[in-house]
Amino acid sequence: MPGGFGFEPVAEPQSGCEGCELVQVQVIHRHGARTLWAPLDCWAAAPSGPPEMPQFQCDLPFSIGTGRSRHRLQKHYLTAGNCGTGSLLGQAERQFQQLAEALNRSYGELSWWGEEATRLYSCDNERNLGSLDLLSSFLFPRSLQATVNTMPPKEDPFQLPGRIATSPCDGSVLPTLKEIRAERPFRDFAARWKSQANVTWNHMLYDCVLSARCAGVRLPESISEELADEALAWGFRQQLAAVFHSNWTTWAASKAWHAVVEQMRNASEKGWPRLAIWSTHDSTMIYMLHALQAWDRIWPGYATAVVLELYASGSELFVRMVRDGKPLVLSSCDHKVLCPWPRFLHMVHSTVPPCDMLPPAVDGAERVEQAAPLPMGSALGVAALGTSAAFLAALLAAARRRGQRQVLAEALL
């Protein structure tokens, strides 16, 4: 999770597509290292004490301007560490420098590689806008004055919730989440968390542990390493329940994919943009990859990216997806790396709205929500998210041996 891994040159462009022309590159990246994204009640020093958060140090400036000012006004928080909600940490600068270096090594020799051919998009918050600013400044070191496209969060197809817990049809709670809360190992963990952290467990509290460890911030002495590992395991499992036990996240990601496809059409038909960059979140990247059955079940680290390449060969178009330097094999494209344009469009546009999957009412009876799992999730996900105490013990032991980046990978293998 700290980032710094996977910053490799993208696999050689046109590899496996001899005679093809690289028409467009799109980069979908996660923001850099940050503070807590929300004012979570992480822990308290005593049962009756006020909730506390990790003590971050934020040393990256955030500039304010109207576009006409001669000054670069910088924001300063009158809080501990000069940190706001979701502020970027200092590590983010190096993370995006590494990502830019990898992208430039792969595409920098292209005649059209430059800011003039680039379209920028960011979710409308400081960590995403700041991340896009860092990446673009390292990609194109010259003075860059560009427009960053964005939308209000409720309308933004890339601003997806970290966890989808209720049905988009009737608002009912995902049954898997109820089952998790009823499990004895989970109830035992929640009781230990309450006794050591002095706050009631909420699934988002796993971010307190994760962000603190990624930033090198010490956890309270009352919280053992074993309990912190369990918090990550249970938090990830609750967070991903809808991914593996419904089609809700696939439907949520469909609008983002439609936006990506629109830019591919623009490049092939109008010649612009040649480079499109989307600054978004880990959950969005997971949902988008899983929707195409292309997620490797490893949580996207800070500043990591998925790159989409659009190739032309005569009148035919092909799409290749690359994650952290490695081409992805798409099962829906006959398990090939290069996906023909019609097949790729079919994958993107074949998502069925969840409510349309419900059986029709019979004799006035109410329809019952039955969210159909995705092909990838039905066998792998359901079987992998085991419920036994032995499963959790093995997972946590592996997490301590391999480091926190592997927690989710172990949970889903």
Side-chain angles (χ1 to χ4, degrees), residues 44 46-47 188-201 227:
D188 291 344
F189 156 74
R192 291 195 305 276
W193 178 269
K194 179 62 181 281
S195 66
Q196 294 185 34
N198 298 312
V199 295
T200 301
W201 171 256
L227 184 66

Side-chain angles (χ1 to χ4, degrees), residues 11 35 43 61 80 119 135 161 165 182 214 235 246 261 284 328 338 348 388:
T35 64
W43 39 70
R119 181 182 187 273
L135 177 58
C214 289
S246 78
V261 165
T284 304
L328 299 178
L338 278 174
V348 170
S388 69

Side-chain angles (χ1 to χ4, degrees), residues 114-125:
E115 58 265 33
E116 292 82 5
T118 301
R119 181 182 187 273
L120 305 177
Y121 188 94
S122 174
C123 294
D124 193 13
N125 56 70

Side-chain angles (χ1 to χ4, degrees), residues 16 23 27 44 55 73 114 127 167 190 324 329 355 368 400:
V23 176
V27 179
Q55 296 300 309
L73 304 180
R127 61 190 180 277
S167 166
D324 298 335
V329 175
C355 301
V368 179
R400 286 189 291 274

Side-chain angles (χ1 to χ4, degrees), residues 243-302:
V243 175
F244 290 102
H245 298 277
S246 78
N247 71 330
W248 301 346
T249 59
T250 298
W251 175 244
S254 62
K255 291 184 179 180
W257 274 121
H258 293 167
V260 170
V261 165
E262 180 184 6
Q263 298 310 315
M264 289 181 174
R265 291 187 187 278
N266 289 340
S268 63
E269 297 173 3
K270 304 174 184 178
W272 190 92
R274 303 302 296 269
L275 170 63
I277 302 176
W278 311 84
S279 181
T280 185
H281 303 278
D282 50 354
S283 55
T284 304
M285 294 174 67
I286 290 173
Y287 299 167
M288 292 181 72
L289 288 169
H290 187 71
L292 300 190
Q293 303 177 39
W295 187 34
D296 57 8
R297 299 177 302 231
I298 300 297
W299 203 279
Y302 291 134

